[in-house]
């Protein structure tokens, strides 16, 4: 097992600032870096910090490219709860990244397999992801790769588990409005990133964080595969860190 580099922050806000340091350093070194980006509550402090840092002249997003992890099936890009809309509202609309340099899987493709293949090709055409940002689901999912009996390789369609539907219902008017399926980068897509940055905050993630890096590598805990990635940085807050 390859151990991750671990940074423990006092708060979720501070975890966001530490993660922003990583992106700032990467973009300074490679102005056209390819970022793999994530949604959820976890990256919000990071995105706020990135916006502030570009305003302060510390980061320049004008040449950066980004590929998002996943999208709900059936939601149009301008749907209030789509991940494309989330990214526009929480990051892209506030930084200088060019719209054509941001990609999110389509939740509306009629030929899903073709959409997935093309998504992989776009990332490859950019030379692959330099730094993949991840959050952690309560069941150990990354992107929308739910617990399974194998690690799915490529971008693909998934059925969401009850636990994920339950966790994500807070963003929708009712649980019935939560899509039951999604399109997500595969575990192989994520593992192909040159560097992985996973942020885990909050006491409710402590147990699954422990299983992820200090338990067996098991497709029932999809994030545990990261134990085999050679360049993982885990940024967590004290509440989520499994040791005292
Ligand atoms: C969602 C997303 C993931 C995210 C995870 C955790 O379902 N598909 O990419 O990392 O769940 O979300 P949160 O950060 O809100 O806890």
């Amino acid at each position: 097992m390859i151990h991750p580099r671990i940074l423990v922050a006092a708060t979720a806000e501070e975890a966001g600032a530490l993660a922003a340091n990583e992106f700032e350093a990467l973009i300074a070194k490679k102005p056209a870096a390819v970022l793999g980006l994530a949604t959820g509550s976890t990256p919000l402090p990071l995105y706020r910090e990135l916006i502030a840092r570009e305003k302060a002249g510390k980061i320049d997003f004008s040449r950066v490219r980004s590929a998002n992890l996943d999208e709900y099936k059936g939601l149009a890009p301008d749907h209030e709860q789509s991940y494309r809309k989330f990214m526009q509202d929480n990051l892209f609309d506030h930084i200088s990244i060019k719209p054509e340099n941001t990609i999110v899987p389509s939740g509306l493709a009629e030929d899903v397999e073709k959409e997935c293949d093309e998504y992989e090709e776009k990332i490859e055409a950019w030379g692959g992801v330099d730094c993949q940002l991840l959050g952690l689901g309560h069941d150990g999912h990354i992107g929308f790769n739910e617990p399974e009996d194998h690690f799915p390789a490529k971008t693909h369609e998934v059925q969401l588990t009850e636990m994920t539907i339950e966790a994500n219902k807070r963003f929708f008017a009712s649980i019935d409005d939560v899509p039951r399926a999604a399109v997500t980068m595969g575990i192989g897509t994520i593992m192909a990133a040159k560097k992985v940055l996973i942020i885990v905050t909050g006491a409710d993630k402590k147990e699954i964080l422990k299983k992820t890096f200090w338990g067996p590598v098991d497709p029932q805990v999809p994030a545990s595969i990261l134990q085999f990635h050679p360049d993982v940085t885990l940024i967590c807050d004290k509440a989520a860190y499994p040791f005292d």
Side-chain angles (χ1 to χ4, degrees):
M1 161 176 159
I2 303 158
H3 289 276
R5 168 177 165 243
I6 305 174
L7 307 179
V8 184
T11 62
E13 237 14 76
E14 194 187 303
L18 291 177
N21 294 345
E22 305 288 316
F23 282 114
E24 187 180 327
L26 170 65
I27 296 164
K29 200 168 77 180
K30 187 172 180 184
V34 178
L35 310 182
L37 296 179
T39 55
S41 327
T42 307
L44 288 174
L46 162 65
Y47 292 162
R48 284 195 288 270
E49 186 66 25
L50 291 177
I51 293 165
R53 289 195 194 187
E54 184 168 66
K55 286 201 166 62
K58 293 182 185 157
I59 305 186
D60 175 7
F61 282 99
S62 61
R63 294 179 57 203
V64 167
R65 281 103 31 110
S66 76
N68 260 78
L69 277 168
D70 47 11
E71 180 59 281
Y72 285 117
K73 268 213 83 187
L75 298 194
D78 59 353
H79 186 285
E80 244 345 277
Q81 301 307 335
S82 81
Y83 284 171
R84 162 57 79 176
K85 177 91 166 65
F86 175 101
M87 291 308 300
Q88 293 302 137
D89 290 352
N90 293 295
L91 187 64
F92 299 154
D93 286 350
H94 311 284
I95 59 174
S96 66
I97 198 164
K98 295 192 174 73
E100 64 271 26
N101 284 343
T102 68
I103 57 171
V104 179
S106 168
L108 296 180
E110 275 178 27
D111 187 339
V112 181
E113 223 167 285
K114 184 163 166 263
E115 161 67 19
C116 292
D117 289 347
E118 286 173 2
Y119 199 69
E120 293 279 336
E121 283 159 19
K122 281 182 208 163
I123 295 171
E124 271 165 38
W126 279 347
V129 170
D130 291 300
C131 181
Q132 177 64 57
L133 174 68
L134 298 173
L136 182 63
H138 290 97
D139 56 4
H141 72 243
I142 45 178
F144 266 133
N145 291 282
E146 298 280 28
E148 282 196 65
D149 57 7
H150 68 289
F151 290 110
K154 300 279 185 179
T155 302
H156 62 294
E157 180 178 341
V158 282
Q159 301 304 311
L160 304 182
T161 61
E162 282 309 315
M163 193 193 256
T164 300
I165 293 165
E166 185 64 34
N168 290 359
K169 74 172 186 205
R170 66 190 195 276
F171 300 111
F172 292 83
S174 86
I175 193 160
D176 294 334
D177 295 323
V178 186
R180 265 42 188 175
V183 175
T184 182
M185 280 186 192
I187 293 290
T189 328
I190 293 169
M191 289 295 281
K194 293 169 192 110
K195 183 182 172 66
V196 172
L197 187 60
I198 180 165
I199 309 179
V200 186
T201 52
D204 55 320
K205 298 276 177 77
K206 192 181 211 164
E207 206 185 308
I208 193 63
L209 178 55
K210 190 168 184 190
K211 283 190 186 156
T212 295
F213 288 108
W214 292 274
V217 174
D218 179 350
Q220 290 297 331
V221 182
S224 65
I225 192 81
L226 297 174
Q227 292 182 32
F228 291 146
H229 193 287
D231 189 352
V232 177
T233 298
L234 161 66
I235 300 182
C236 60
D237 64 359
K238 272 210 277 215
Y241 188 61
F243 308 99
D244 293 321

